[in-house]
Amino acid sequence: MVLRFSGLIVGAALVAAALPAPAQPSAADAGAQAFLKRCASCHGRTAAGNPGVYPPLSEVGRHAGSEAGRTYLAAVTATGLSGRIEVGGKAYQGYMPGLRAATRLEERAAILNWLIRHNRSKAPLFTPAELTRREAVLRTPAEVGRARPAK
Ligand code: HEC
């Protein structure tokens, strides 16, 4: 039984080895890595935040499901955010610096896409082209804060 089980595992490994290696890490992996590098210092490694200081990123999936929310997400990451927001029943009035200068467009898309799936949302993922279009809409962190869809 044990032998047969390990045989199955070896078989699966052989099948996997026969497949061509993907040219690049999957978008999800790149996004997770970039999130750890760019966002986790404030929002935590699992995006759970720090109550009252850094919000959890638990509403990214909700935002990704609406037009206004998608523009908001693109702008928070690129332009930054200030003003009072409420996430998970807690208020935040902080300042998030925009990451446009510190990140590449593809990196911002990968991070947001990783967060959407991390939220177990089936909302469409961002393409770099969509992100470019939406990042141009809201110009300042305060404007981004006012544009946050509350529900
Ligand atoms: C220097 C700390 C810091 C870093 C780094 C940071 N954030 Fe933030 N983030 C904040 C703060 C503070 C807020 C809340 C701002 C406020 O209260 O207006 C916030 C808010 C947000 C929100 C709004 C959540 C909501 O439900 O409206 C999103 C989305 C977000 N951050 C995503 C990211 C992503 C993605 C990254 C990495 C690319 C990132 N943040 C990096 C500090 C940070």
Side-chain angles (χ1 to χ4, degrees), residues 34-35 38-43 53-60 62-63 72-73 76-77 81-87 91-97 99 103 107-108 111-112 115 141 145 148-149:
F35 177 84
R38 308 288 185 185
C39 323
S41 56
C42 293
H43 292 287
V53 188
Y54 300 118
L57 301 182
S58 51
E59 298 194 19
V60 166
R62 171 174 75 80
H63 293 309
Y72 170 74
L73 285 179
V76 170
T77 313
L81 171 68
S82 68
R84 187 184 187 280
I85 63 172
E86 228 173 80
V87 187
Y92 296 83
Q93 184 141 23
Y95 173 79
M96 174 175 153
L99 289 145
T103 52
E107 199 177 1
R108 295 195 293 281
I111 290 172
L112 287 175
L115 281 169
R148 182 183 195 268

mmCIF file of all heavy atoms in Angstrom, residues 34-35 38-43 53-60 62-63 72-73 76-77 81-87 91-97 99 103 107-108 111-112 115 141 145 148-149, ligand 1:
data_model
loop_
_atom_site.group_PDB
_atom_site.id
_atom_site.type_symbol
_atom_site.label_atom_id
_atom_site.label_comp_id
_atom_site.label_asym_id
_atom_site.label_seq_id
_atom_site.Cartn_x
_atom_site.Cartn_y
_atom_site.Cartn_z
ATOM 1 N N ALA A 34 5.831 40.030 -5.265
ATOM 2 C CA ALA A 34 5.873 41.495 -5.296
ATOM 3 C C ALA A 34 5.089 42.072 -4.108
ATOM 4 O O ALA A 34 5.475 43.100 -3.550
ATOM 5 C CB ALA A 34 5.312 42.005 -6.615
ATOM 6 N N PHE A 35 3.998 41.424 -3.737
ATOM 7 C CA PHE A 35 3.238 41.890 -2.575
ATOM 8 C C PHE A 35 4.126 41.856 -1.325
ATOM 9 O O PHE A 35 4.159 42.808 -0.542
ATOM 10 C CB PHE A 35 1.974 41.037 -2.352
ATOM 11 C CG PHE A 35 1.228 41.453 -1.119
ATOM 12 C CD1 PHE A 35 0.328 42.515 -1.167
ATOM 13 C CD2 PHE A 35 1.456 40.842 0.110
ATOM 14 C CE1 PHE A 35 -0.324 42.955 -0.020
ATOM 15 C CE2 PHE A 35 0.813 41.267 1.253
ATOM 16 C CZ PHE A 35 -0.082 42.329 1.203
ATOM 17 N N ARG A 38 6.651 44.778 -1.607
ATOM 18 C CA ARG A 38 6.187 46.177 -1.690
ATOM 19 C C ARG A 38 5.102 46.559 -0.693
ATOM 20 O O ARG A 38 4.902 47.741 -0.441
ATOM 21 C CB ARG A 38 5.626 46.459 -3.092
ATOM 22 C CG ARG A 38 6.520 46.096 -4.222
ATOM 23 C CD ARG A 38 7.677 47.049 -4.324
ATOM 24 N NE ARG A 38 8.477 46.765 -5.500
ATOM 25 C CZ ARG A 38 9.600 47.392 -5.774
ATOM 26 N NH1 ARG A 38 10.047 48.334 -4.976
ATOM 27 N NH2 ARG A 38 10.277 47.073 -6.843
ATOM 28 N N CYS A 39 4.349 45.614 -0.215
ATOM 29 C CA CYS A 39 3.134 45.947 0.538
ATOM 30 C C CYS A 39 3.115 45.346 1.939
ATOM 31 O O CYS A 39 2.452 45.886 2.839
ATOM 32 C CB CYS A 39 1.888 45.463 -0.201
ATOM 33 S SG CYS A 39 1.949 45.619 -2.008
ATOM 34 N N ALA A 40 3.798 44.218 2.136
ATOM 35 C CA ALA A 40 3.641 43.468 3.383
ATOM 36 C C ALA A 40 4.198 44.210 4.593
ATOM 37 O O ALA A 40 3.739 43.975 5.716
ATOM 38 C CB ALA A 40 4.310 42.100 3.251
ATOM 39 N N SER A 41 5.148 45.134 4.373
ATOM 40 C CA SER A 41 5.729 45.848 5.519
ATOM 41 C C SER A 41 4.636 46.608 6.266
ATOM 42 O O SER A 41 4.710 46.757 7.480
ATOM 43 C CB SER A 41 6.829 46.795 5.056
ATOM 44 O OG SER A 41 6.321 47.689 4.094
ATOM 45 N N CYS A 42 3.633 47.078 5.573
ATOM 46 C CA CYS A 42 2.517 47.766 6.240
ATOM 47 C C CYS A 42 1.301 46.847 6.402
ATOM 48 O O CYS A 42 0.733 46.760 7.487
ATOM 49 C CB CYS A 42 2.108 49.001 5.450
ATOM 50 S SG CYS A 42 3.381 50.286 5.449
ATOM 51 N N HIS A 43 0.891 46.189 5.327
ATOM 52 C CA HIS A 43 -0.374 45.442 5.366
ATOM 53 C C HIS A 43 -0.220 44.020 5.894
ATOM 54 O O HIS A 43 -1.223 43.319 6.046
ATOM 55 C CB HIS A 43 -1.008 45.411 3.972
ATOM 56 C CG HIS A 43 -1.474 46.759 3.515
ATOM 57 N ND1 HIS A 43 -2.593 47.384 4.028
ATOM 58 C CD2 HIS A 43 -0.958 47.621 2.607
ATOM 59 C CE1 HIS A 43 -2.753 48.562 3.443
ATOM 60 N NE2 HIS A 43 -1.774 48.745 2.586
ATOM 61 N N VAL A 53 -4.343 50.887 12.260
ATOM 62 C CA VAL A 53 -3.154 51.537 11.698
ATOM 63 C C VAL A 53 -3.072 51.308 10.181
ATOM 64 O O VAL A 53 -3.092 52.263 9.398
ATOM 65 C CB VAL A 53 -1.863 51.032 12.372
ATOM 66 C CG1 VAL A 53 -0.673 51.865 11.906
ATOM 67 C CG2 VAL A 53 -1.986 51.081 13.886
ATOM 68 N N TYR A 54 -2.984 50.042 9.794
ATOM 69 C CA TYR A 54 -2.961 49.679 8.375
ATOM 70 C C TYR A 54 -4.152 48.775 8.099
ATOM 71 O O TYR A 54 -4.285 47.736 8.745
ATOM 72 C CB TYR A 54 -1.657 48.956 8.014
ATOM 73 C CG TYR A 54 -0.429 49.801 8.264
ATOM 74 C CD1 TYR A 54 0.534 49.411 9.184
ATOM 75 C CD2 TYR A 54 -0.257 51.001 7.580
ATOM 76 C CE1 TYR A 54 1.649 50.198 9.419
ATOM 77 C CE2 TYR A 54 0.858 51.792 7.815
ATOM 78 C CZ TYR A 54 1.804 51.386 8.738
ATOM 79 O OH TYR A 54 2.905 52.170 8.963
ATOM 80 N N PRO A 55 -5.002 49.143 7.161
ATOM 81 C CA PRO A 55 -6.208 48.332 6.949
ATOM 82 C C PRO A 55 -5.898 46.961 6.367
ATOM 83 O O PRO A 55 -4.908 46.806 5.634
ATOM 84 C CB PRO A 55 -7.023 49.172 5.948
ATOM 85 C CG PRO A 55 -6.012 50.009 5.241
ATOM 86 C CD PRO A 55 -4.928 50.287 6.229
ATOM 87 N N PRO A 56 -6.741 45.977 6.679
ATOM 88 C CA PRO A 56 -6.636 44.695 5.967
ATOM 89 C C PRO A 56 -7.053 44.933 4.518
ATOM 90 O O PRO A 56 -7.846 45.835 4.241
ATOM 91 C CB PRO A 56 -7.667 43.810 6.691
ATOM 92 C CG PRO A 56 -8.662 44.764 7.259
ATOM 93 C CD PRO A 56 -7.900 46.031 7.572
ATOM 94 N N LEU A 57 -6.517 44.132 3.610
ATOM 95 C CA LEU A 57 -6.886 44.316 2.197
ATOM 96 C C LEU A 57 -7.997 43.328 1.822
ATOM 97 O O LEU A 57 -8.004 42.743 0.745
ATOM 98 C CB LEU A 57 -5.643 44.188 1.318
ATOM 99 C CG LEU A 57 -4.563 45.219 1.680
ATOM 100 C CD1 LEU A 57 -3.356 45.098 0.759
ATOM 101 C CD2 LEU A 57 -5.114 46.646 1.661
ATOM 102 N N SER A 58 -8.940 43.203 2.736
ATOM 103 C CA SER A 58 -10.027 42.226 2.598
ATOM 104 C C SER A 58 -11.146 42.706 1.691
ATOM 105 O O SER A 58 -12.039 41.938 1.365
ATOM 106 C CB SER A 58 -10.595 41.933 3.987
ATOM 107 O OG SER A 58 -10.897 43.162 4.639
ATOM 108 N N GLU A 59 -11.116 43.974 1.271
ATOM 109 C CA GLU A 59 -12.197 44.471 0.415
ATOM 110 C C GLU A 59 -11.748 44.685 -1.023
ATOM 111 O O GLU A 59 -12.479 45.248 -1.828
ATOM 112 C CB GLU A 59 -12.810 45.747 1.029
ATOM 113 C CG GLU A 59 -13.432 45.436 2.388
ATOM 114 C CD GLU A 59 -14.346 46.527 2.933
ATOM 115 O OE1 GLU A 59 -14.815 47.379 2.156
ATOM 116 O OE2 GLU A 59 -14.585 46.507 4.145
ATOM 117 N N VAL A 60 -10.543 44.210 -1.320
ATOM 118 C CA VAL A 60 -10.034 44.348 -2.686
ATOM 119 C C VAL A 60 -10.942 43.600 -3.674
ATOM 120 O O VAL A 60 -11.249 44.104 -4.756
ATOM 121 C CB VAL A 60 -8.573 43.844 -2.773
ATOM 122 C CG1 VAL A 60 -8.135 43.657 -4.220
ATOM 123 C CG2 VAL A 60 -7.644 44.831 -2.071
ATOM 124 N N ARG A 62 -14.144 43.016 -3.435
ATOM 125 C CA ARG A 62 -15.373 43.803 -3.634
ATOM 126 C C ARG A 62 -15.102 44.964 -4.595
ATOM 127 O O ARG A 62 -15.851 45.173 -5.546
ATOM 128 C CB ARG A 62 -15.871 44.346 -2.288
ATOM 129 C CG ARG A 62 -17.020 45.361 -2.430
ATOM 130 C CD ARG A 62 -17.601 45.785 -1.092
ATOM 131 N NE ARG A 62 -16.787 46.695 -0.321
ATOM 132 C CZ ARG A 62 -16.709 48.018 -0.532
ATOM 133 N NH1 ARG A 62 -17.371 48.574 -1.538
ATOM 134 N NH2 ARG A 62 -15.948 48.783 0.229
ATOM 135 N N HIS A 63 -14.016 45.702 -4.354
ATOM 136 C CA HIS A 63 -13.691 46.832 -5.229
ATOM 137 C C HIS A 63 -13.494 46.361 -6.680
ATOM 138 O O HIS A 63 -13.905 47.026 -7.617
ATOM 139 C CB HIS A 63 -12.419 47.541 -4.752
ATOM 140 C CG HIS A 63 -12.567 48.237 -3.431
ATOM 141 N ND1 HIS A 63 -13.591 49.109 -3.149
ATOM 142 C CD2 HIS A 63 -11.815 48.186 -2.302
ATOM 143 C CE1 HIS A 63 -13.468 49.571 -1.918
ATOM 144 N NE2 HIS A 63 -12.394 49.023 -1.374
ATOM 145 N N TYR A 72 -10.529 52.884 -8.380
ATOM 146 C CA TYR A 72 -10.003 53.165 -7.047
ATOM 147 C C TYR A 72 -8.776 52.299 -6.748
ATOM 148 O O TYR A 72 -7.744 52.812 -6.302
ATOM 149 C CB TYR A 72 -11.119 52.919 -6.024
ATOM 150 C CG TYR A 72 -10.680 52.926 -4.584
ATOM 151 C CD1 TYR A 72 -10.355 54.112 -3.934
ATOM 152 C CD2 TYR A 72 -10.583 51.735 -3.859
ATOM 153 C CE1 TYR A 72 -9.947 54.117 -2.608
ATOM 154 C CE2 TYR A 72 -10.179 51.732 -2.526
ATOM 155 C CZ TYR A 72 -9.861 52.922 -1.903
ATOM 156 O OH TYR A 72 -9.458 52.924 -0.604
ATOM 157 N N LEU A 73 -8.859 51.003 -7.003
ATOM 158 C CA LEU A 73 -7.731 50.095 -6.725
ATOM 159 C C LEU A 73 -6.489 50.496 -7.517
ATOM 160 O O LEU A 73 -5.372 50.512 -6.974
ATOM 161 C CB LEU A 73 -8.106 48.658 -7.096
ATOM 162 C CG LEU A 73 -9.040 47.913 -6.158
ATOM 163 C CD1 LEU A 73 -9.307 46.523 -6.729
ATOM 164 C CD2 LEU A 73 -8.457 47.818 -4.747
ATOM 165 N N VAL A 76 -5.130 53.726 -5.837
ATOM 166 C CA VAL A 76 -4.506 53.557 -4.511
ATOM 167 C C VAL A 76 -3.067 53.097 -4.705
ATOM 168 O O VAL A 76 -2.131 53.645 -4.119
ATOM 169 C CB VAL A 76 -5.268 52.517 -3.645
ATOM 170 C CG1 VAL A 76 -4.476 52.193 -2.390
ATOM 171 C CG2 VAL A 76 -6.653 53.030 -3.270
ATOM 172 N N THR A 77 -2.891 52.089 -5.545
ATOM 173 C CA THR A 77 -1.556 51.505 -5.711
ATOM 174 C C THR A 77 -0.594 52.477 -6.390
ATOM 175 O O THR A 77 0.553 52.613 -5.965
ATOM 176 C CB THR A 77 -1.670 50.199 -6.535
ATOM 177 O OG1 THR A 77 -2.733 49.426 -5.992
ATOM 178 C CG2 THR A 77 -0.400 49.389 -6.448
ATOM 179 N N LEU A 81 -3.125 57.107 -1.138
ATOM 180 C CA LEU A 81 -4.445 57.264 -0.533
ATOM 181 C C LEU A 81 -4.335 58.048 0.768
ATOM 182 O O LEU A 81 -3.459 57.788 1.593
ATOM 183 C CB LEU A 81 -5.018 55.864 -0.248
ATOM 184 C CG LEU A 81 -6.293 55.778 0.582
ATOM 185 C CD1 LEU A 81 -7.474 56.348 -0.188
ATOM 186 C CD2 LEU A 81 -6.574 54.325 0.959
ATOM 187 N N SER A 82 -5.251 59.013 0.944
ATOM 188 C CA SER A 82 -5.378 59.665 2.247
ATOM 189 C C SER A 82 -6.851 59.946 2.498
ATOM 190 O O SER A 82 -7.670 59.904 1.585
ATOM 191 C CB SER A 82 -4.565 60.961 2.298
ATOM 192 O OG SER A 82 -5.121 61.930 1.436
ATOM 193 N N GLY A 83 -7.161 60.228 3.754
ATOM 194 C CA GLY A 83 -8.552 60.482 4.119
ATOM 195 C C GLY A 83 -9.097 59.323 4.932
ATOM 196 O O GLY A 83 -8.460 58.270 5.047
ATOM 197 N N ARG A 84 -10.283 59.547 5.483
ATOM 198 C CA ARG A 84 -10.863 58.537 6.369
ATOM 199 C C ARG A 84 -11.549 57.431 5.561
ATOM 200 O O ARG A 84 -12.360 57.720 4.686
ATOM 201 C CB ARG A 84 -11.888 59.206 7.284
ATOM 202 C CG ARG A 84 -12.434 58.284 8.354
ATOM 203 C CD ARG A 84 -13.514 58.994 9.159
ATOM 204 N NE ARG A 84 -13.964 58.206 10.295
ATOM 205 C CZ ARG A 84 -14.835 57.206 10.202
ATOM 206 N NH1 ARG A 84 -15.341 56.863 9.035
ATOM 207 N NH2 ARG A 84 -15.192 56.536 11.285
ATOM 208 N N ILE A 85 -11.178 56.187 5.861
ATOM 209 C CA ILE A 85 -11.874 55.062 5.233
ATOM 210 C C ILE A 85 -12.277 54.092 6.332
ATOM 211 O O ILE A 85 -11.732 54.137 7.449
ATOM 212 C CB ILE A 85 -11.001 54.328 4.179
ATOM 213 C CG1 ILE A 85 -9.763 53.705 4.831
ATOM 214 C CG2 ILE A 85 -10.606 55.277 3.058
ATOM 215 C CD1 ILE A 85 -8.966 52.808 3.886
ATOM 216 N N GLU A 86 -13.231 53.231 6.049
ATOM 217 C CA GLU A 86 -13.650 52.211 7.007
ATOM 218 C C GLU A 86 -13.513 50.848 6.354
ATOM 219 O O GLU A 86 -14.078 50.609 5.291
ATOM 220 C CB GLU A 86 -15.103 52.456 7.410
ATOM 221 C CG GLU A 86 -15.307 52.398 8.922
ATOM 222 C CD GLU A 86 -16.705 52.802 9.319
ATOM 223 O OE1 GLU A 86 -17.596 51.949 9.209
ATOM 224 O OE2 GLU A 86 -16.895 53.972 9.716
ATOM 225 N N VAL A 87 -12.735 49.985 6.981
ATOM 226 C CA VAL A 87 -12.528 48.642 6.430
ATOM 227 C C VAL A 87 -12.786 47.622 7.531
ATOM 228 O O VAL A 87 -12.213 47.731 8.632
ATOM 229 C CB VAL A 87 -11.085 48.467 5.886
ATOM 230 C CG1 VAL A 87 -10.952 47.128 5.157
ATOM 231 C CG2 VAL A 87 -10.700 49.607 4.953
ATOM 232 N N ALA A 91 -12.195 52.183 11.529
ATOM 233 C CA ALA A 91 -11.852 53.407 10.810
ATOM 234 C C ALA A 91 -10.333 53.546 10.671
ATOM 235 O O ALA A 91 -9.577 53.157 11.577
ATOM 236 C CB ALA A 91 -12.417 54.614 11.539
ATOM 237 N N TYR A 92 -9.919 54.093 9.543
ATOM 238 C CA TYR A 92 -8.504 54.385 9.287
ATOM 239 C C TYR A 92 -8.420 55.797 8.749
ATOM 240 O O TYR A 92 -9.228 56.200 7.920
ATOM 241 C CB TYR A 92 -7.927 53.394 8.259
ATOM 242 C CG TYR A 92 -7.929 51.983 8.768
ATOM 243 C CD1 TYR A 92 -9.075 51.197 8.680
ATOM 244 C CD2 TYR A 92 -6.815 51.451 9.410
ATOM 245 C CE1 TYR A 92 -9.099 49.910 9.191
ATOM 246 C CE2 TYR A 92 -6.832 50.165 9.927
ATOM 247 C CZ TYR A 92 -7.977 49.397 9.824
ATOM 248 O OH TYR A 92 -7.993 48.137 10.343
ATOM 249 N N GLN A 93 -7.478 56.550 9.277
ATOM 250 C CA GLN A 93 -7.241 57.873 8.709
ATOM 251 C C GLN A 93 -5.743 58.047 8.609
ATOM 252 O O GLN A 93 -5.109 58.728 9.420
ATOM 253 C CB GLN A 93 -7.870 58.967 9.570
ATOM 254 C CG GLN A 93 -7.717 60.330 8.940
ATOM 255 C CD GLN A 93 -8.960 61.192 9.122
ATOM 256 O OE1 GLN A 93 -9.755 60.979 10.027
ATOM 257 N NE2 GLN A 93 -9.129 62.171 8.252
ATOM 258 N N GLY A 94 -5.182 57.369 7.658
ATOM 259 C CA GLY A 94 -3.730 57.385 7.508
ATOM 260 C C GLY A 94 -3.358 57.940 6.157
ATOM 261 O O GLY A 94 -4.127 58.652 5.516
ATOM 262 N N TYR A 95 -2.164 57.608 5.743
ATOM 263 C CA TYR A 95 -1.671 58.045 4.447
ATOM 264 C C TYR A 95 -0.876 56.898 3.853
ATOM 265 O O TYR A 95 0.019 56.359 4.503
ATOM 266 C CB TYR A 95 -0.771 59.277 4.608
ATOM 267 C CG TYR A 95 -0.094 59.672 3.322
ATOM 268 C CD1 TYR A 95 -0.795 60.377 2.343
ATOM 269 C CD2 TYR A 95 1.231 59.329 3.083
ATOM 270 C CE1 TYR A 95 -0.184 60.720 1.147
ATOM 271 C CE2 TYR A 95 1.848 59.671 1.894
ATOM 272 C CZ TYR A 95 1.140 60.370 0.934
ATOM 273 O OH TYR A 95 1.730 60.706 -0.255
ATOM 274 N N MET A 96 -1.236 56.516 2.663
ATOM 275 C CA MET A 96 -0.443 55.508 1.944
ATOM 276 C C MET A 96 0.258 56.191 0.781
ATOM 277 O O MET A 96 -0.389 56.832 -0.048
ATOM 278 C CB MET A 96 -1.343 54.381 1.426
ATOM 279 C CG MET A 96 -0.567 53.407 0.552
ATOM 280 S SD MET A 96 -1.577 52.004 0.046
ATOM 281 C CE MET A 96 -0.737 51.594 -1.477
ATOM 282 N N PRO A 97 1.584 56.068 0.722
ATOM 283 C CA PRO A 97 2.302 56.668 -0.408
ATOM 284 C C PRO A 97 2.023 55.891 -1.690
ATOM 285 O O PRO A 97 1.910 54.673 -1.672
ATOM 286 C CB PRO A 97 3.774 56.548 -0.006
ATOM 287 C CG PRO A 97 3.830 55.429 0.976
ATOM 288 C CD PRO A 97 2.486 55.363 1.648
ATOM 289 N N LEU A 99 2.843 54.089 -5.209
ATOM 290 C CA LEU A 99 3.995 53.252 -5.542
ATOM 291 C C LEU A 99 4.333 53.295 -7.034
ATOM 292 O O LEU A 99 5.045 52.444 -7.543
ATOM 293 C CB LEU A 99 3.722 51.820 -5.074
ATOM 294 C CG LEU A 99 3.772 51.723 -3.536
ATOM 295 C CD1 LEU A 99 2.782 50.724 -2.999
ATOM 296 C CD2 LEU A 99 5.183 51.402 -3.074
ATOM 297 N N THR A 103 7.552 50.985 -8.525
ATOM 298 C CA THR A 103 7.161 49.690 -9.107
ATOM 299 C C THR A 103 6.959 49.830 -10.612
ATOM 300 O O THR A 103 6.712 50.918 -11.119
ATOM 301 C CB THR A 103 5.821 49.199 -8.497
ATOM 302 O OG1 THR A 103 4.859 50.249 -8.625
ATOM 303 C CG2 THR A 103 5.958 48.822 -7.036
ATOM 304 N N GLU A 107 4.221 44.899 -12.408
ATOM 305 C CA GLU A 107 4.306 44.507 -11.002
ATOM 306 C C GLU A 107 3.023 44.926 -10.265
ATOM 307 O O GLU A 107 2.466 44.158 -9.482
ATOM 308 C CB GLU A 107 5.531 45.207 -10.396
ATOM 309 C CG GLU A 107 6.041 44.593 -9.133
ATOM 310 C CD GLU A 107 7.300 45.289 -8.632
ATOM 311 O OE1 GLU A 107 7.771 46.277 -9.254
ATOM 312 O OE2 GLU A 107 7.809 44.841 -7.592
ATOM 313 N N ARG A 108 2.562 46.153 -10.542
ATOM 314 C CA ARG A 108 1.324 46.623 -9.891
ATOM 315 C C ARG A 108 0.140 45.751 -10.312
ATOM 316 O O ARG A 108 -0.717 45.406 -9.491
ATOM 317 C CB ARG A 108 1.070 48.099 -10.236
ATOM 318 C CG ARG A 108 2.138 49.041 -9.685
ATOM 319 C CD ARG A 108 1.717 50.491 -9.712
ATOM 320 N NE ARG A 108 1.565 51.081 -11.034
ATOM 321 C CZ ARG A 108 2.578 51.504 -11.810
ATOM 322 N NH1 ARG A 108 3.831 51.386 -11.399
ATOM 323 N NH2 ARG A 108 2.346 52.050 -13.003
ATOM 324 N N ILE A 111 0.380 42.384 -8.469
ATOM 325 C CA ILE A 111 0.033 42.501 -7.043
ATOM 326 C C ILE A 111 -1.488 42.565 -6.886
ATOM 327 O O ILE A 111 -2.078 41.837 -6.072
ATOM 328 C CB ILE A 111 0.682 43.754 -6.422
ATOM 329 C CG1 ILE A 111 2.202 43.573 -6.325
ATOM 330 C CG2 ILE A 111 0.085 44.033 -5.036
ATOM 331 C CD1 ILE A 111 2.951 44.838 -5.910
ATOM 332 N N LEU A 112 -2.128 43.449 -7.658
ATOM 333 C CA LEU A 112 -3.591 43.572 -7.541
ATOM 334 C C LEU A 112 -4.262 42.248 -7.905
ATOM 335 O O LEU A 112 -5.213 41.827 -7.234
ATOM 336 C CB LEU A 112 -4.109 44.712 -8.429
ATOM 337 C CG LEU A 112 -3.789 46.123 -7.907
ATOM 338 C CD1 LEU A 112 -4.234 47.181 -8.921
ATOM 339 C CD2 LEU A 112 -4.455 46.379 -6.544
ATOM 340 N N LEU A 115 -4.005 39.871 -5.084
ATOM 341 C CA LEU A 115 -4.934 40.246 -4.006
ATOM 342 C C LEU A 115 -6.378 39.863 -4.344
ATOM 343 O O LEU A 115 -7.130 39.422 -3.465
ATOM 344 C CB LEU A 115 -4.850 41.750 -3.731
ATOM 345 C CG LEU A 115 -3.662 42.208 -2.873
ATOM 346 C CD1 LEU A 115 -3.552 43.725 -2.895
ATOM 347 C CD2 LEU A 115 -3.798 41.699 -1.433
ATOM 348 N N PRO A 141 -3.706 61.629 -3.721
ATOM 349 C CA PRO A 141 -4.156 60.691 -2.678
ATOM 350 C C PRO A 141 -5.501 61.100 -2.068
ATOM 351 O O PRO A 141 -6.337 60.229 -1.782
ATOM 352 C CB PRO A 141 -3.017 60.741 -1.655
ATOM 353 C CG PRO A 141 -1.801 61.066 -2.466
ATOM 354 C CD PRO A 141 -2.282 62.026 -3.523
ATOM 355 N N GLY A 145 -9.004 59.011 -2.010
ATOM 356 C CA GLY A 145 -9.785 58.732 -0.795
ATOM 357 C C GLY A 145 -11.259 59.067 -0.973
ATOM 358 O O GLY A 145 -12.130 58.294 -0.557
ATOM 359 N N ARG A 148 -13.351 56.427 -2.954
ATOM 360 C CA ARG A 148 -13.510 55.044 -2.480
ATOM 361 C C ARG A 148 -14.992 54.659 -2.388
ATOM 362 O O ARG A 148 -15.748 55.289 -1.671
ATOM 363 C CB ARG A 148 -12.892 54.886 -1.095
ATOM 364 C CG ARG A 148 -12.989 53.463 -0.573
ATOM 365 C CD ARG A 148 -12.433 53.363 0.837
ATOM 366 N NE ARG A 148 -12.206 51.969 1.204
ATOM 367 C CZ ARG A 148 -13.112 51.224 1.827
ATOM 368 N NH1 ARG A 148 -14.280 51.709 2.153
ATOM 369 N NH2 ARG A 148 -12.843 49.957 2.119
ATOM 370 N N PRO A 149 -15.393 53.611 -3.116
ATOM 371 C CA PRO A 149 -16.789 53.172 -2.994
ATOM 372 C C PRO A 149 -17.008 52.569 -1.603
ATOM 373 O O PRO A 149 -16.310 51.643 -1.202
ATOM 374 C CB PRO A 149 -16.939 52.105 -4.073
ATOM 375 C CG PRO A 149 -15.753 52.266 -4.984
ATOM 376 C CD PRO A 149 -14.656 52.816 -4.116
HETATM 377 C C1 HEC B 1 3.936 52.654 4.136
HETATM 378 C C2 HEC B 1 2.827 51.763 4.443
HETATM 379 C C3 HEC B 1 2.057 51.187 3.279
HETATM 380 C C4 HEC B 1 2.535 50.467 2.203
HETATM 381 C C5 HEC B 1 3.977 50.082 1.872
HETATM 382 C C6 HEC B 1 1.369 50.079 1.431
HETATM 383 N N1 HEC B 1 0.234 50.569 2.006
HETATM 384 FE FE1 HEC B 1 -1.685 50.315 1.349
HETATM 385 N N2 HEC B 1 -2.377 51.500 2.824
HETATM 386 C C7 HEC B 1 -1.615 52.076 3.821
HETATM 387 C C8 HEC B 1 -2.453 52.927 4.663
HETATM 388 C C9 HEC B 1 -2.008 53.728 5.873
HETATM 389 C C10 HEC B 1 -3.763 52.823 4.135
HETATM 390 C C11 HEC B 1 -5.020 53.563 4.645
HETATM 391 C C12 HEC B 1 -4.972 55.024 4.186
HETATM 392 C C13 HEC B 1 -6.074 55.868 4.776
HETATM 393 O O1 HEC B 1 -6.422 55.662 5.937
HETATM 394 O O2 HEC B 1 -6.615 56.726 4.041
HETATM 395 C C14 HEC B 1 -3.685 51.910 2.990
HETATM 396 C C15 HEC B 1 -4.762 51.516 2.212
HETATM 397 C C16 HEC B 1 -4.718 50.639 1.168
HETATM 398 C C17 HEC B 1 -5.854 50.196 0.386
HETATM 399 C C18 HEC B 1 -7.306 50.606 0.574
HETATM 400 C C19 HEC B 1 -8.123 49.480 1.180
HETATM 401 C C20 HEC B 1 -9.610 49.718 1.084
HETATM 402 O O3 HEC B 1 -10.367 48.796 1.388
HETATM 403 O O4 HEC B 1 -10.021 50.804 0.669
HETATM 404 C C21 HEC B 1 -5.386 49.348 -0.561
HETATM 405 C C22 HEC B 1 -6.188 48.631 -1.649
HETATM 406 C C23 HEC B 1 -3.957 49.239 -0.378
HETATM 407 N N3 HEC B 1 -3.568 50.026 0.686
HETATM 408 C C24 HEC B 1 -3.133 48.450 -1.151
HETATM 409 C C25 HEC B 1 -1.749 48.427 -1.040
HETATM 410 C C26 HEC B 1 -0.883 47.697 -1.944
HETATM 411 C C27 HEC B 1 -1.379 46.821 -3.085
HETATM 412 C C28 HEC B 1 0.390 47.943 -1.553
HETATM 413 C C29 HEC B 1 1.673 47.469 -2.201
HETATM 414 C C30 HEC B 1 1.783 47.755 -3.617
HETATM 415 C C31 HEC B 1 0.326 48.827 -0.402
HETATM 416 N N4 HEC B 1 -0.982 49.091 -0.120
HETATM 417 C C32 HEC B 1 1.435 49.308 0.280
HETATM 418 C C33 HEC B 1 -0.248 51.924 4.003
HETATM 419 C C34 HEC B 1 0.597 51.262 3.132
#
